[in-house]
Amino acid sequence: MKLPSKAAALATASLAVGGVALVATPAQADLVTLCSGHGGAITLPTDLAVPEGESCYLDGTVIQGDVTVRENANLHIIGGEIEGEVTVQGNGYFDASGTALGDSVVNNGSFGTHLEETSGGAGVSAVPTEGGSTDGFVFVVDSSVAGLSTEIGELYVSGSRVGGAVTAEGVEYVDIFDSAVRGDLSVTDSAGGGILCDSEVLGAATYSGGGGPVAVGAGEQEGFCESLNYVDGDLTVTGVTGGVYVDNNIVGGDLSTSGNQPTAQVGDNNRVRGDVLTEQVALRSFSAAVAEEFEAHEEELVEEVEEARAETIDEAMAAGPAF
């Protein structure tokens, strides 16, 4: 999936700093470059911060230090590199496209983080903070990250590689499409459940508590979850309300479902190497309404990202050159 990017229509030549190069020296912790406006293909041997309430748009910029997106601020970087840690504060927005991220991305009550075609394997986390957003999102598309850990909002992963575990507790939902998780997947008390679709988990996959629907495979509709999931360890779904659907999975360990209300629907197309320990009824159907609910997650996030990108770029271009 590719999001239409307004940034692609902006010529780099229009950036006042395009083509300027700073001497590349190690980042110094006591030096911070403030970004309010737009910048181009230069190297900043310092930390960078987007001031509270401001917007920064960077095209091809290399930042050798840490980045802080302060409260209610926005940063959109395309075709660049950030060597240090990215911290996104309350209601801030961070958007990286075609960019290498060398360290972690930490969301402290942020509005959201969107990564598209990013590399470098940064770990991404999201935690609530006083006064910050309680329904922010982490939206990862066609990217490589070291791991994902979130305690807030929405987690959506598509076409991506996660080098470690995915852990979510008390979130709105966790949707993983066409992706590889090189560790355990653990979803606890998710209000809106989640889906694992056309993906592999090289560890255990566990869904416990919270609402639903939870769908592990079970698509059976043209254009929606047409392939298999592979779970290397145990697959466990317990204590979920709102519907559980399990089908089209290869499970290297045990398959366990219990304590779900209503009782989990388990199909015939699961291949399980270990034991099958389930309280279940036959998979009657994965209804169009359930599929539409998951599809709406992506549509809503794409809309939020497009709006945030447009606002960020417009404000940054209007503010003039950042440095």
Side-chain angles (χ1 to χ4, degrees):
M1 182 208 65
K2 302 287 190 229
L3 291 172
S5 176
K6 185 172 180 178
L10 298 173
T12 303
S14 70
L15 302 177
V17 295
V20 177
L22 297 182
V23 177
T25 59
Q28 300 180 38
D30 57 344
L31 296 179
V32 179
T33 298
L34 298 180
C35 182
S36 176
H38 55 80
I42 67 171
T43 296
L44 298 174
T46 67
D47 293 343
L48 181 137
V50 185
E52 182 175 352
E54 301 294 332
S55 291
C56 174
Y57 166 60
L58 301 175
D59 186 350
T61 306
V62 175
I63 303 161
Q64 295 183 319
D66 296 333
V67 169
T68 302
V69 183
R70 293 176 179 160
E71 290 189 11
N72 301 301
N74 306 297
L75 171 60
H76 182 193
I77 179 170
I78 65 172
E81 181 177 357
I82 300 173
E83 296 182 7
E85 181 180 86
V86 178
T87 301
V88 191
Q89 297 179 347
N91 296 306
Y93 176 62
F94 175 61
D95 191 324
S97 304
T99 293
L101 302 174
D103 206 333
S104 59
V105 178
V106 181
N107 296 274
N108 294 322
S110 68
F111 168 75
T113 281
H114 175 243
L115 306 181
E116 183 175 2
E117 296 183 345
T118 63
S119 61
V124 183
S125 63
V127 296
T129 59
E130 185 176 354
S133 174
T134 58
D135 57 0
F137 61 83
V138 174
F139 188 12
V140 181
V141 180
D142 297 336
S143 295
S144 175
V145 297
L148 293 166
S149 176
T150 179
E151 302 173 29
I152 189 171
E154 302 149 338
L155 175 60
Y156 193 103
V157 183
S158 175
S160 296
R161 177 187 175 95
V162 183
V166 175
T167 304
E169 182 173 359
V171 299
E172 181 58 32
Y173 61 76
V174 177
D175 290 354
I176 301 176
F177 289 88
D178 188 26
S179 295
V181 178
R182 304 296 182 182
D184 292 339
L185 167 64
S186 176
V187 181
T188 305
D189 294 332
S190 171
I195 187 169
L196 182 68
C197 173
D198 298 344
S199 296
E200 65 175 14
V201 177
L202 297 185
T206 305
Y207 296 81
S208 59
V214 167
V216 185
E220 293 190 350
Q221 295 195 32
E222 184 177 354
F224 186 78
C225 293
E226 296 179 300
S227 184
L228 296 170
N229 289 322
Y230 173 73
V231 178
D232 188 56
D234 295 338
L235 169 58
T236 306
V237 187
T238 59
V240 172
T241 61
V244 173
Y245 309 86
V246 181
D247 202 13
N248 302 321
N249 300 287
I250 299 173
V251 182
D254 297 338
L255 169 60
S256 303
T257 64
S258 63
N260 302 294
Q261 296 293 332
T263 303
Q265 297 185 36
V266 180
D268 296 327
N269 295 321
N270 296 297
R271 286 181 279 171
V272 182
R273 186 171 185 177
D275 295 328
V276 178
L277 309 167
T278 63
E279 298 171 0
Q280 67 178 63
V281 296
L283 182 68
R284 295 186 293 273
S285 67
F286 189 77
S287 69
V290 175
E292 288 170 2
E293 183 172 343
F294 289 118
E295 290 171 336
H297 292 169
E298 180 184 36
E299 293 169 1
E300 291 167 0
L301 285 177
V302 168
E303 183 177 351
E304 286 190 87
V305 166
E306 289 178 348
E307 290 178 357
R309 279 183 167 178
E311 179 181 347
T312 299
I313 295 168
D314 286 346
E315 291 180 355
M317 296 305 292
F323 26 78

